[in-house]
Amino acid sequence: MVSLMKDNTRVNHPPAVHLAADNRPLVAPIYQSVKFSLDSVNETVRLLRHEREGFFYSRSSNPTLRQLELLLAELQGREDCLLTGSGVAAIAACLLSLCKQGDHVLLFVESYGPTRYLVQNIMARYGVTHTLLSIEDLTGIDQVLREVPTRLIVFESPTNPVTKIADIEHLLAAARHAGALTIMDNTFAGFHNHGQYPIDIFLHSLTKYASGHGDVMGGAIIASADLIGSMRKDINTLGPTLDPHAAFLIQRGMRTYFLRYERQCANALAVSRFLSASTRVKRIFYPGLEDHPQHLLARHQMRDFGTVVSFEMESGHESAGRFCEALKYFSITASVGSTESLVMPPQLLGGHEFDATQRRASCLGPGTIRLSIGLEDPEDLIDDLRQALEVAY
Ligand SMILES: *Cc1c(COP(=O)(O)O)cnc(C)c1O
Protein backbone atom coordinates (compact mmCIF):
# COMPACT_ATOMS: atom_id res chain seq x y z
CA MET A 1 0.00 0.00 0.00
CA VAL A 2 1.35 3.42 -0.92
CA SER A 3 1.49 5.69 2.10
CA LEU A 4 -0.24 9.04 1.95
CA MET A 5 1.83 10.38 4.83
CA LYS A 6 4.41 13.03 4.18
CA ASP A 7 7.98 12.24 5.27
CA ASN A 8 7.90 14.13 8.59
CA THR A 9 4.77 12.24 9.56
CA ARG A 10 6.03 8.90 8.28
CA VAL A 11 9.22 8.92 10.33
CA ASN A 12 7.09 9.38 13.45
CA HIS A 13 4.60 6.68 12.46
CA PRO A 14 6.72 3.85 11.06
CA PRO A 15 5.12 0.71 9.64
CA ALA A 16 4.48 -1.82 12.42
CA VAL A 17 5.97 -5.31 12.36
CA HIS A 18 3.52 -8.00 13.35
CA LEU A 19 4.68 -11.21 14.96
CA ALA A 20 2.15 -14.02 14.75
CA ALA A 21 1.21 -15.56 18.10
CA ASP A 22 2.91 -18.85 17.12
CA ASN A 23 6.14 -17.10 16.12
CA ARG A 24 8.06 -16.22 19.28
CA PRO A 25 11.59 -14.94 19.94
CA LEU A 26 13.57 -17.25 22.26
CA VAL A 27 15.00 -14.26 24.08
CA ALA A 28 12.42 -11.82 25.43
CA PRO A 29 12.83 -8.51 23.57
CA ILE A 30 13.78 -5.21 25.15
CA TYR A 31 10.69 -3.00 25.31
CA GLN A 32 12.69 0.21 25.07
CA SER A 33 9.51 2.29 25.15
CA VAL A 34 8.41 4.72 27.83
CA LYS A 35 4.77 4.71 26.77
CA PHE A 36 2.27 2.00 25.88
CA SER A 37 -1.10 2.81 24.39
CA LEU A 38 -4.50 1.22 24.02
CA ASP A 39 -6.99 2.09 21.29
CA SER A 40 -9.83 2.92 23.65
CA VAL A 41 -10.15 5.63 26.29
CA ASN A 42 -12.38 3.40 28.41
CA GLU A 43 -9.88 0.58 28.36
CA THR A 44 -7.11 3.03 29.29
CA VAL A 45 -9.15 4.23 32.27
CA ARG A 46 -9.71 0.62 33.30
CA LEU A 47 -5.97 -0.03 33.01
CA LEU A 48 -5.15 2.92 35.26
CA ARG A 49 -7.70 1.65 37.79
CA HIS A 50 -5.96 -1.75 37.71
CA GLU A 51 -9.19 -3.32 36.40
CA ARG A 52 -7.34 -4.92 33.49
CA GLU A 53 -3.82 -6.04 32.62
CA GLY A 54 -1.50 -3.89 30.60
CA PHE A 55 1.24 -1.32 30.54
CA PHE A 56 0.94 2.45 30.34
CA TYR A 57 4.07 4.28 31.50
CA SER A 58 7.46 2.65 32.12
CA ARG A 59 8.11 4.38 35.45
CA SER A 60 5.31 2.17 36.80
CA SER A 61 5.96 -0.94 34.77
CA ASN A 62 7.30 -2.27 31.50
CA PRO A 63 7.15 -5.78 29.99
CA THR A 64 10.94 -6.22 30.07
CA LEU A 65 11.04 -5.27 33.75
CA ARG A 66 8.01 -7.41 34.53
CA GLN A 67 9.66 -10.47 32.99
CA LEU A 68 12.66 -10.05 35.29
CA GLU A 69 10.42 -9.34 38.30
CA LEU A 70 8.53 -12.60 37.76
CA LEU A 71 11.76 -14.57 37.47
CA LEU A 72 13.36 -13.10 40.61
CA ALA A 73 10.18 -13.49 42.69
CA GLU A 74 10.00 -17.15 41.71
CA LEU A 75 13.68 -17.86 42.44
CA GLN A 76 13.41 -16.21 45.87
CA GLY A 77 10.16 -18.06 46.56
CA ARG A 78 7.84 -15.07 46.93
CA GLU A 79 4.81 -13.78 45.02
CA ASP A 80 5.99 -10.46 43.68
CA CYS A 81 8.96 -8.25 42.97
CA LEU A 82 9.62 -4.59 42.24
CA LEU A 83 12.77 -3.54 40.38
CA THR A 84 14.80 -0.40 40.99
CA GLY A 85 17.72 1.32 39.29
CA SER A 86 20.28 0.23 41.93
CA GLY A 87 20.53 -1.84 45.08
CA VAL A 88 20.53 1.18 47.35
CA ALA A 89 17.45 2.49 45.54
CA ALA A 90 15.66 -0.74 46.52
CA ILE A 91 16.75 -0.34 50.16
CA ALA A 92 15.87 3.36 50.35
CA ALA A 93 12.54 3.09 48.55
CA CYS A 94 11.45 0.09 50.64
CA LEU A 95 12.40 1.55 54.02
CA LEU A 96 10.99 4.99 53.22
CA SER A 97 7.72 3.47 52.07
CA LEU A 98 7.31 1.32 55.18
CA CYS A 99 8.19 3.89 57.87
CA LYS A 100 6.56 6.98 59.26
CA GLN A 101 7.59 9.54 61.85
CA GLY A 102 8.08 7.97 65.28
CA ASP A 103 8.75 4.44 63.97
CA HIS A 104 11.74 2.54 65.31
CA VAL A 105 14.14 0.47 63.18
CA LEU A 106 16.55 -2.17 64.49
CA LEU A 107 19.68 -2.53 62.37
CA PHE A 108 23.19 -3.82 62.77
CA VAL A 109 26.79 -2.67 62.94
CA GLU A 110 27.58 -5.32 60.32
CA SER A 111 25.01 -3.87 57.86
CA TYR A 112 25.94 -2.43 54.48
CA GLY A 113 27.27 1.13 55.04
CA PRO A 114 24.70 3.02 52.93
CA THR A 115 21.86 1.17 54.72
CA ARG A 116 23.17 2.49 58.02
CA TYR A 117 23.57 5.96 56.55
CA LEU A 118 19.99 5.89 55.25
CA VAL A 119 18.52 4.99 58.64
CA GLN A 120 20.92 6.92 60.88
CA ASN A 121 21.11 10.14 58.84
CA ILE A 122 18.32 10.46 56.28
CA MET A 123 15.41 8.71 58.01
CA ALA A 124 16.46 10.23 61.34
CA ARG A 125 15.76 13.65 59.80
CA TYR A 126 12.16 12.53 59.22
CA GLY A 127 11.72 11.38 62.82
CA VAL A 128 12.44 7.66 62.43
CA THR A 129 14.46 6.33 65.39
CA HIS A 130 16.81 3.36 65.42
CA THR A 131 18.94 1.05 67.52
CA LEU A 132 22.27 -0.24 66.20
CA LEU A 133 23.43 -3.57 67.62
CA SER A 134 25.80 -6.34 66.60
CA ILE A 135 24.08 -9.13 64.68
CA GLU A 136 25.66 -11.51 67.24
CA ASP A 137 24.09 -9.73 70.24
CA LEU A 138 21.03 -11.98 70.57
CA THR A 139 20.36 -10.87 74.16
CA GLY A 140 20.47 -7.22 73.11
CA ILE A 141 18.14 -7.92 70.17
CA ASP A 142 15.61 -9.65 72.45
CA GLN A 143 15.80 -6.83 74.96
CA VAL A 144 15.30 -4.03 72.42
CA LEU A 145 12.38 -5.84 70.82
CA ARG A 146 10.82 -6.37 74.25
CA GLU A 147 11.23 -2.76 75.31
CA VAL A 148 10.87 -0.62 72.17
CA PRO A 149 7.92 -0.96 69.76
CA THR A 150 9.75 -1.72 66.51
CA ARG A 151 8.50 -1.37 62.95
CA LEU A 152 11.39 -2.97 61.03
CA ILE A 153 14.36 -5.27 61.56
CA VAL A 154 16.86 -4.88 58.72
CA PHE A 155 19.64 -7.46 58.48
CA GLU A 156 22.10 -9.30 56.21
CA SER A 157 23.77 -12.70 56.17
CA PRO A 158 26.60 -13.40 55.50
CA THR A 159 27.62 -9.93 56.59
CA ASN A 160 30.12 -7.69 54.84
CA PRO A 161 33.10 -8.02 54.99
CA VAL A 162 33.71 -10.64 57.71
CA THR A 163 30.93 -13.08 56.76
CA LYS A 164 29.13 -13.36 60.09
CA ILE A 165 25.99 -15.48 59.85
CA ALA A 166 22.75 -14.04 61.25
CA ASP A 167 20.76 -16.50 63.37
CA ILE A 168 17.64 -16.18 61.23
CA GLU A 169 15.34 -18.39 63.30
CA HIS A 170 16.18 -16.40 66.41
CA LEU A 171 15.61 -13.06 64.67
CA LEU A 172 12.30 -14.19 63.18
CA ALA A 173 10.96 -15.51 66.48
CA ALA A 174 11.87 -12.26 68.25
CA ALA A 175 10.37 -10.20 65.40
CA ARG A 176 7.13 -12.17 65.39
CA HIS A 177 6.78 -11.67 69.13
CA ALA A 178 7.34 -7.92 68.73
CA GLY A 179 5.13 -7.56 65.62
CA ALA A 180 8.04 -6.17 63.60
CA LEU A 181 8.53 -6.68 59.86
CA THR A 182 11.77 -8.43 58.85
CA ILE A 183 13.79 -7.17 55.89
CA MET A 184 16.78 -9.14 54.70
CA ASP A 185 19.33 -7.71 52.28
CA ASN A 186 20.07 -11.05 50.63
CA THR A 187 22.59 -9.75 48.07
CA PHE A 188 25.55 -11.78 49.35
CA ALA A 189 23.68 -15.08 49.67
CA GLY A 190 21.68 -14.82 46.45
CA PHE A 191 18.14 -15.60 45.28
CA HIS A 192 18.49 -19.33 45.91
CA ASN A 193 19.15 -18.89 49.64
CA HIS A 194 16.95 -18.15 52.68
CA GLY A 195 13.60 -18.33 50.84
CA GLN A 196 12.51 -21.15 53.18
CA TYR A 197 12.34 -18.71 56.12
CA PRO A 198 9.23 -16.53 56.59
CA ILE A 199 11.22 -13.33 56.11
CA ASP A 200 8.81 -10.57 55.06
CA ILE A 201 10.93 -8.76 52.48
CA PHE A 202 14.11 -9.62 50.57
CA LEU A 203 16.27 -6.88 49.07
CA HIS A 204 18.93 -7.50 46.41
CA SER A 205 21.51 -5.49 44.57
CA LEU A 206 21.24 -6.85 41.02
CA THR A 207 24.54 -5.10 40.30
CA LYS A 208 26.31 -8.08 41.86
CA TYR A 209 25.44 -11.72 41.07
CA ALA A 210 22.33 -11.10 38.95
CA SER A 211 24.00 -9.00 36.30
CA GLY A 212 27.22 -10.83 37.13
CA HIS A 213 29.43 -9.05 34.64
CA GLY A 214 30.04 -5.73 36.39
CA ASP A 215 28.50 -3.70 33.57
CA VAL A 216 25.01 -2.78 34.79
CA MET A 217 23.27 -1.70 38.02
CA GLY A 218 19.90 -2.64 39.45
CA GLY A 219 17.99 -3.54 42.60
CA ALA A 220 15.02 -5.66 43.63
CA ILE A 221 12.44 -5.76 46.41
CA ILE A 222 10.86 -9.23 46.71
CA ALA A 223 7.89 -9.99 48.99
CA SER A 224 4.26 -11.09 49.15
CA ALA A 225 1.86 -9.56 46.64
CA ASP A 226 0.21 -7.66 49.52
CA LEU A 227 3.44 -6.06 50.75
CA ILE A 228 4.64 -5.18 47.25
CA GLY A 229 1.17 -3.82 46.45
CA SER A 230 1.24 -1.63 49.56
CA MET A 231 4.58 -0.10 48.51
CA ARG A 232 4.02 0.18 44.76
CA LYS A 233 2.47 3.65 44.61
CA ASP A 234 4.99 5.18 47.05
CA ILE A 235 7.93 3.72 45.18
CA ASN A 236 6.54 4.71 41.82
CA THR A 237 6.30 8.25 43.19
CA LEU A 238 9.87 8.18 44.55
CA GLY A 239 10.87 7.20 41.00
CA PRO A 240 13.87 4.83 41.29
CA THR A 241 12.98 3.12 37.98
CA LEU A 242 15.22 0.56 36.27
CA ASP A 243 15.84 1.16 32.57
CA PRO A 244 14.52 -1.59 30.24
CA HIS A 245 17.91 -2.02 28.61
CA ALA A 246 19.50 -2.60 32.03
CA ALA A 247 16.70 -5.07 32.86
CA PHE A 248 17.44 -6.91 29.63
CA LEU A 249 21.15 -7.18 30.47
CA ILE A 250 20.36 -8.40 34.00
CA GLN A 251 17.97 -10.95 32.56
CA ARG A 252 20.75 -12.14 30.28
CA GLY A 253 23.09 -12.34 33.28
CA MET A 254 20.53 -14.45 35.16
CA ARG A 255 20.76 -17.22 32.54
CA THR A 256 24.17 -18.16 33.95
CA TYR A 257 23.49 -17.13 37.56
CA PHE A 258 23.73 -20.64 39.06
CA LEU A 259 26.74 -21.66 36.98
CA ARG A 260 28.62 -18.54 38.02
CA TYR A 261 27.58 -18.61 41.66
CA GLU A 262 28.41 -22.32 42.11
CA ARG A 263 31.80 -21.97 40.43
CA GLN A 264 32.63 -18.83 42.40
CA CYS A 265 31.69 -20.60 45.65
CA ALA A 266 33.96 -23.54 44.75
CA ASN A 267 36.79 -21.12 43.95
CA ALA A 268 36.15 -19.24 47.21
CA LEU A 269 36.41 -22.47 49.20
CA ALA A 270 39.69 -23.40 47.47
CA VAL A 271 41.11 -19.92 48.10
CA SER A 272 39.99 -19.89 51.74
CA ARG A 273 41.57 -23.33 52.35
CA PHE A 274 44.86 -22.03 50.95
CA LEU A 275 44.73 -18.85 53.06
CA SER A 276 43.81 -20.69 56.25
CA ALA A 277 46.94 -22.84 55.83
CA SER A 278 49.20 -19.80 55.34
CA THR A 279 51.34 -18.63 58.26
CA ARG A 280 51.04 -15.05 56.96
CA VAL A 281 47.31 -15.03 57.68
CA LYS A 282 46.20 -14.28 61.24
CA ARG A 283 42.51 -14.98 60.85
CA ILE A 284 40.29 -16.02 57.97
CA PHE A 285 36.55 -15.49 57.52
CA TYR A 286 34.72 -17.87 55.19
CA PRO A 287 31.57 -19.66 56.41
CA GLY A 288 32.42 -22.71 54.28
CA LEU A 289 35.46 -23.48 56.43
CA GLU A 290 34.77 -25.99 59.20
CA ASP A 291 36.49 -23.74 61.77
CA HIS A 292 34.38 -20.65 60.95
CA PRO A 293 32.62 -20.01 64.30
CA GLN A 294 29.21 -20.26 62.62
CA HIS A 295 29.94 -22.93 60.04
CA LEU A 296 27.18 -25.21 61.34
CA LEU A 297 24.64 -22.38 61.39
CA ALA A 298 25.64 -21.46 57.81
CA ARG A 299 25.31 -25.10 56.77
CA HIS A 300 21.85 -25.22 58.36
CA GLN A 301 20.62 -22.00 56.74
CA MET A 302 22.31 -21.91 53.32
CA ARG A 303 22.77 -24.12 50.28
CA ASP A 304 26.34 -22.82 49.79
CA PHE A 305 28.64 -20.35 51.49
CA GLY A 306 29.06 -17.40 49.17
CA THR A 307 31.90 -15.98 47.14
CA VAL A 308 33.38 -13.47 49.58
CA VAL A 309 36.49 -14.43 51.56
CA SER A 310 37.99 -12.03 54.09
CA PHE A 311 41.11 -12.34 56.17
CA GLU A 312 43.34 -10.50 58.57
CA MET A 313 47.03 -10.21 57.68
CA GLU A 314 49.63 -10.81 60.38
CA SER A 315 50.79 -7.20 60.17
CA GLY A 316 48.72 -4.09 59.52
CA HIS A 317 47.86 -1.45 56.95
CA GLU A 318 51.08 -1.08 55.05
CA SER A 319 51.74 -4.70 54.23
CA ALA A 320 48.03 -5.13 53.45
CA GLY A 321 48.32 -2.32 50.92
CA ARG A 322 51.49 -3.87 49.43
CA PHE A 323 49.72 -7.22 49.24
CA CYS A 324 46.75 -5.77 47.34
CA GLU A 325 48.98 -3.90 44.89
CA ALA A 326 51.07 -7.03 44.23
CA LEU A 327 48.03 -9.09 43.15
CA LYS A 328 47.77 -9.61 39.39
CA TYR A 329 44.30 -11.11 39.04
CA PHE A 330 42.48 -9.16 41.76
CA SER A 331 41.59 -5.53 41.00
CA ILE A 332 41.51 -3.01 43.84
CA THR A 333 37.91 -1.84 43.75
CA ALA A 334 34.48 -1.96 45.40
CA SER A 335 31.69 -4.47 44.83
CA VAL A 336 31.41 -8.27 44.63
CA GLY A 337 29.97 -10.83 42.25
CA SER A 338 31.86 -9.97 39.09
CA THR A 339 33.38 -12.60 36.78
CA GLU A 340 36.83 -11.26 37.68
CA SER A 341 38.26 -11.33 41.21
CA LEU A 342 38.34 -8.13 43.27
CA VAL A 343 40.12 -7.01 46.42
CA MET A 344 39.37 -4.35 49.05
CA PRO A 345 42.26 -3.29 51.31
CA PRO A 346 41.60 -2.20 54.94
CA GLN A 347 42.10 1.45 53.92
CA LEU A 348 38.93 1.25 51.78
CA LEU A 349 36.71 -0.97 53.93
CA GLY A 350 35.08 1.89 55.88
CA GLY A 351 33.63 1.76 59.38
CA HIS A 352 35.38 5.03 60.32
CA GLU A 353 32.23 6.24 62.08
CA PHE A 354 32.19 3.36 64.59
CA ASP A 355 32.91 3.85 68.29
CA ALA A 356 35.24 1.36 70.03
CA THR A 357 32.51 -1.21 70.85
CA GLN A 358 31.03 -1.08 67.36
CA ARG A 359 34.50 -1.34 65.85
CA ARG A 360 35.13 -4.53 67.84
CA ALA A 361 31.80 -5.96 66.66
CA SER A 362 32.62 -5.07 63.05
CA CYS A 363 35.81 -7.23 63.29
CA LEU A 364 37.50 -4.67 61.01
CA GLY A 365 41.19 -4.61 61.88
CA PRO A 366 44.24 -2.81 60.47
CA GLY A 367 45.00 -5.78 58.21
CA THR A 368 41.48 -6.80 57.12
CA ILE A 369 41.25 -7.62 53.43
CA ARG A 370 38.12 -8.61 51.50
CA LEU A 371 38.34 -10.78 48.42
CA SER A 372 35.48 -11.22 45.96
CA ILE A 373 36.24 -14.42 44.10
CA GLY A 374 35.65 -14.56 40.36
CA LEU A 375 35.61 -17.21 37.66
CA GLU A 376 39.36 -17.51 37.07
CA ASP A 377 41.12 -20.86 37.46
CA PRO A 378 41.49 -21.47 41.21
CA GLU A 379 45.14 -22.55 40.82
CA ASP A 380 45.99 -19.21 39.22
CA LEU A 381 44.18 -17.35 42.00
CA ILE A 382 46.04 -19.29 44.68
CA ASP A 383 49.43 -18.78 42.95
CA ASP A 384 48.66 -15.07 42.75
CA LEU A 385 47.75 -14.86 46.45
CA ARG A 386 50.92 -16.81 47.37
CA GLN A 387 53.25 -14.49 45.46
CA ALA A 388 51.49 -11.36 46.80
CA LEU A 389 51.87 -12.61 50.39
CA GLU A 390 55.61 -13.06 49.70
CA VAL A 391 55.85 -9.51 48.32
CA ALA A 392 53.91 -8.08 51.27
CA TYR A 393 56.44 -9.34 53.81
C1 LIG B 1 26.32 -3.56 46.68
C2 LIG B 1 25.36 -3.79 47.77
C3 LIG B 1 24.22 -2.98 47.89
C4 LIG B 1 23.96 -1.77 47.00
O1 LIG B 1 23.81 -2.09 45.69
P1 LIG B 1 24.09 -1.05 44.49
O2 LIG B 1 23.54 -1.80 43.34
O3 LIG B 1 25.56 -0.82 44.47
O4 LIG B 1 23.33 0.21 44.80
C5 LIG B 1 23.34 -3.26 48.91
N1 LIG B 1 23.55 -4.26 49.77
C6 LIG B 1 24.63 -5.07 49.69
C7 LIG B 1 24.79 -6.17 50.68
C8 LIG B 1 25.57 -4.85 48.70
O5 LIG B 1 26.65 -5.64 48.63
Side-chain angles (χ1 to χ4, degrees):
M1 191 184 74
V2 179
S3 169
L4 297 176
M5 292 181 215
K6 299 194 170 54
D7 285 353
N8 277 314
T9 308
R10 178 37 99 198
V11 293
N12 284 294
H13 297 270
V17 176
H18 286 288
L19 268 190
D22 62 349
N23 180 200
R24 284 175 297 269
L26 287 193
V27 173
I30 313 177
Y31 286 87
Q32 192 75 49
S33 180
V34 172
K35 282 117 10 190
F36 295 83
S37 76
L38 292 164
D39 292 335
S40 129
V41 174
N42 262 346
E43 286 303 306
T44 309
V45 169
R46 287 187 58 231
L47 172 63
L48 294 179
R49 287 183 184 148
H50 308 291
E51 289 167 10
R52 60 158 285 165
E53 280 190 23
F55 298 92
F56 188 65
Y57 194 57
S58 282
R59 176 152 44 70
S60 316
S61 194
N62 167 296
T64 309
L65 270 66
R66 194 61 193 147
Q67 173 99 59
L68 182 57
E69 287 173 349
L70 295 175
L71 173 66
L72 298 182
E74 194 171 307
L75 286 180
Q76 187 66 86
R78 292 297 184 273
E79 291 164 342
D80 207 352
C81 170
L82 218 160
L83 297 176
T84 56
S86 71
V88 293
I91 300 167
C94 176
L95 268 60
L96 286 170
S97 176
L98 291 173
C99 284
K100 62 180 188 312
Q101 185 180 23
D103 281 346
H104 175 256
V105 176
L106 174 58
L107 80 167
F108 301 98
V109 171
E110 298 89 342
S111 303
Y112 184 60
T115 304
R116 280 184 279 117
Y117 185 87
L118 169 75
V119 175
Q120 297 188 284
N121 295 277
I122 301 176
M123 291 172 68
R125 294 206 290 269
Y126 296 90
V128 174
T129 62
H130 71 271
T131 303
L132 185 71
L133 294 176
S134 168
I135 193 73
E136 292 177 304
D137 184 4
L138 299 183
T139 319
I141 292 168
D142 291 347
Q143 187 184 346
V144 165
L145 291 176
R146 245 191 341 264
E147 292 172 1
V148 190
T150 297
R151 170 72 173 143
L152 304 179
I153 303 174
V154 185
F155 71 101
E156 294 161 36
S157 185
T159 65
N160 178 21
V162 299
T163 69
K164 288 189 197 174
I165 305 297
D167 186 332
I168 297 177
E169 282 168 21
H170 188 105
L171 279 179
L172 289 179
R176 196 177 320 116
H177 210 71
L181 282 177
T182 45
I183 301 186
M184 179 174 203
D185 181 336
N186 207 18
T187 300
F188 270 40
F191 309 95
H192 59 294
N193 273 304
H194 301 138
Q196 75 273 27
Y197 293 106
I199 293 160
D200 293 305
I201 299 170
F202 287 103
L203 301 173
H204 287 270
S205 166
L206 306 181
T207 314
K208 314 294 168 57
Y209 302 101
S211 106
H213 295 75
D215 51 9
V216 59
M217 303 193 80
I221 306 167
I222 305 175
S224 68
D226 278 353
L227 268 172
I228 294 288
S230 75
M231 290 187 274
R232 197 174 280 284
K233 179 139 192 179
D234 286 4
I235 294 180
N236 187 22
T237 306
L238 290 167
T241 316
L242 184 70
D243 182 78
H245 192 253
F248 173 86
L249 288 173
I250 294 166
Q251 176 117 326
R252 183 161 82 155
M254 283 307 296
R255 298 269 180 142
T256 54
Y257 166 79
F258 285 103
L259 289 178
R260 286 184 286 103
Y261 199 93
E262 281 165 20
R263 176 62 185 267
Q264 285 171 307
C265 285
N267 282 358
L269 186 62
V271 160
S272 66
R273 286 208 197 289
F274 163 75
L275 288 171
S276 70
S278 166
T279 52
R280 310 281 200 210
V281 171
K282 190 156 94 188
R283 206 171 154 197
I284 170 134
F285 308 95
Y286 184 66
L289 290 176
E290 289 75 9
D291 56 3
H292 183 286
Q294 294 165 301
H295 173 68
L296 289 180
L297 182 60
R299 192 170 271 289
H300 177 62
Q301 292 185 171
M302 301 172 73
R303 281 161 61 177
D304 37 32
F305 303 104
T307 78
V308 172
V309 177
S310 294
F311 66 102
E312 181 81 30
M313 299 227 345
E314 261 309 334
S315 51
H317 258 137
E318 260 177 49
S319 52
R322 269 201 308 280
F323 167 82
C324 293
E325 288 169 2
L327 288 165
K328 289 190 303 242
Y329 302 134
F330 294 76
S331 304
I332 301 173
T333 188
S335 199
V336 300
S338 279
T339 57
E340 66 281 84
S341 292
L342 313 172
V343 62
M344 282 283 273
Q347 293 89 334
L348 303 181
L349 277 177
H352 312 291
E353 69 282 22
F354 290 144
D355 64 26
T357 317
Q358 292 166 346
R359 186 137 199 105
R360 252 193 316 284
S362 78
C363 290
L364 286 168
T368 310
I369 292 170
R370 183 187 78 189
L371 303 174
S372 163
I373 306 300
L375 289 173
E376 299 91 342
D377 190 285
E379 282 181 29
D380 285 342
L381 293 179
I382 288 169
D383 285 345
D384 195 22
L385 292 164
R386 184 183 294 115
Q387 66 79 25
L389 283 170
E390 294 302 322
V391 171
Y393 287 95

